[in-house]
Amino acid sequence: MLSYKHAFHSGNHADVIKHLSLLAVLEKLAQKTKPFSVIDTHAGAGAYALDDAQVEQNKEYQTGVALINAATQHHGLLQRYQALLITAAEQGVYPGSPWLAASQLRDNDQLTLMELHPSEYQKLKRQRFLRNANIHNRDGFEGLLATTPPQIKRGVVLIDPPYEQLSEYEQVNSSVGKLLRRWANACVLVWYPMLTKRAGQKAKASEQMQAALAQLECASAFNLQLEVSDPTSDVGMYGSGMLIINPPWQLFESIEAVLPDLSHQLGATKTTLDWLVHAE
Ligand SMILES: C[S@@+](CC[C@H](N)C(=O)[O-])C[C@H]1O[C@@H](n2cnc3c(N)ncnc32)[C@H](O)[C@@H]1O
């Protein structure tokens, strides 16, 4: 079953914490001249037209990028993210993770994208800003293990499944565990939804996944969460999180610095930033 289409959710508050975290990692990797690789296991269509009927149906960007765009930014990371949102808008799109990754790549860096949905894959293939990317129409969990460790061993993996099926939570866990055994220093970004009781078994599965990921052997890891509603409210998703394994040096501090402004601009009810494994 592949019914999820990211266009309906493009630019929402979850995209903001996901894409801001990804941008922060990419900027840190680009501080060294050595090349890096980026793997996006669930890439989506790459970018979403501002006037797309699916984007306009829910207008979820009003809970995310529209608020970032409307604010005066005081921190470098938020200023650069806002500048990228403006550049994307000038091209007529909301950026997806592939657009953001491509915007930060230098000539020798490597971008690998996986997307299982046939029509999303076709859109991704046609994106002109992805001319130098390796684009696969395959299962992202399978493809991640088949293509790692990459030739360029400094790098980041974004794991951003739709979590349509309960089994995806366990697939994330087992894939990250196997990935770290073959590519121990990979920086791994896992996005996950924070779900109320209304979401039934998925709420528990998401919490169990977070707890299991926190137990994996790695040099360092931290967790970022942004809540936009009360957990007891009648919404399905009350916020979302990014679990970041093997973060680049001072990534935690960069995110910590922008979190108060980010929280205020997105109207967050609560934000959390905690080390799970802290390298001495
Ligand atoms: C949340 S969206 C990705 C959004 C994208 N990462 C971004 O930030 O712009 C999840 C995507 O995963 C795709 N998908 C679902 N199951 C998949 C699988 N097993 N392997 C790869 N892609 C999958 C969906 O079609 C959808 O496009």
Side-chain angles (χ1 to χ4, degrees):
M1 186 186 65
L2 278 174
S3 54
Y4 180 95
K5 287 276 179 68
H6 195 64
F8 289 107
H9 310 286
S10 171
N12 68 6
H13 58 86
D15 260 7
V16 170
I17 74 157
K18 181 194 309 170
H19 293 163
L20 192 67
S21 305
L22 177 64
L23 175 64
V25 169
L26 295 170
E27 286 187 346
K28 298 276 184 210
L29 289 172
Q31 280 172 2
K32 290 191 182 154
T33 49
K34 274 176 83 174
F36 62 84
S37 53
V38 182
I39 301 177
D40 189 343
T41 58
H42 296 71
Y48 304 87
L50 297 177
D51 59 357
D52 185 317
Q54 293 180 345
V55 172
E56 276 303 311
Q57 183 170 314
N58 300 340
K59 296 190 188 326
E60 289 197 17
Y61 56 85
Q62 289 180 349
T63 71
V65 295
L67 300 169
I68 301 294
N69 274 334
T72 303
Q73 303 298 349
H74 301 289
H75 287 279
L77 177 59
L78 277 170
Q79 283 169 347
R80 294 187 294 279
Y81 179 50
Q82 187 185 52
L84 288 169
L85 292 174
I86 292 168
T87 303
E90 285 165 359
Q91 296 170 8
V93 296
Y94 292 108
S97 48
W99 189 98
L100 273 169
S103 76
Q104 302 303 302
L105 253 56
R106 292 107 19 119
D107 285 349
N108 294 332
D109 300 327
Q110 195 175 66
L111 177 59
T112 302
L113 306 168
M114 293 158 202
E115 171 55 49
L116 191 58
H117 197 296
S119 67
E120 297 298 274
Y121 167 73
Q122 286 306 328
K123 287 181 195 160
L124 193 64
K125 273 294 274 184
R126 286 199 296 268
Q127 300 285 14
R128 290 224 297 256
F129 56 85
L130 293 175
R131 266 193 303 271
N132 297 325
N134 305 310
I135 306 179
H136 302 247
N137 185 202
R138 73 196 295 179
D139 172 62
F141 298 115
E142 171 275 321
L144 175 63
L145 299 178
T147 58
T148 50
Q151 269 184 334
I152 301 172
K153 292 192 180 57
R154 281 180 81 224
V156 58
V157 176
L158 172 65
I159 303 182
D160 180 26
Y163 297 103
E164 276 185 300
Q165 315 206 36
L166 206 51
S167 58
E168 285 173 280
Y169 294 95
E170 180 41 40
Q171 275 182 297
V172 171
N173 266 334
S174 70
S175 304
V176 176
K178 287 178 191 158
L179 174 73
L180 291 174
R181 286 197 282 280
R182 65 186 64 206
W183 185 16
N185 65 345
C187 171
V188 187
L189 307 182
V190 177
W191 179 87
Y192 59 86
M194 298 172 74
L195 301 169
T196 65
K197 284 204 177 73
R198 203 179 100 176
Q201 286 180 298
K202 284 187 179 174
K204 196 163 221 143
S206 182
E207 282 170 20
Q208 283 169 345
M209 182 190 81
Q210 294 164 49
L213 286 172
Q215 298 300 315
L216 288 175
E217 242 176 73
C218 62
S220 58
F222 69 81
N223 196 17
L224 163 67
Q225 296 185 332
L226 187 135
E227 300 177 25
V228 292
S229 320
D230 197 291
T232 57
S233 64
D234 195 35
V235 296
M237 184 169 93
Y238 67 93
S240 73
M242 289 297 289
L243 207 142
I244 305 183
I245 297 171
N246 295 330
W249 191 63
Q250 296 221 311
L251 183 79
F252 184 95
E253 289 76 4
S254 299
I255 291 181
E256 192 175 36
V258 300
L259 203 49
D261 281 6
L262 186 68
S263 166
H264 177 70
Q265 289 166 25
L266 296 182
T269 52
K270 185 177 170 189
T271 53
T272 314
L273 182 67
D274 287 321
W275 282 107
L276 303 170
V277 182
H278 197 176
E280 293 308 320

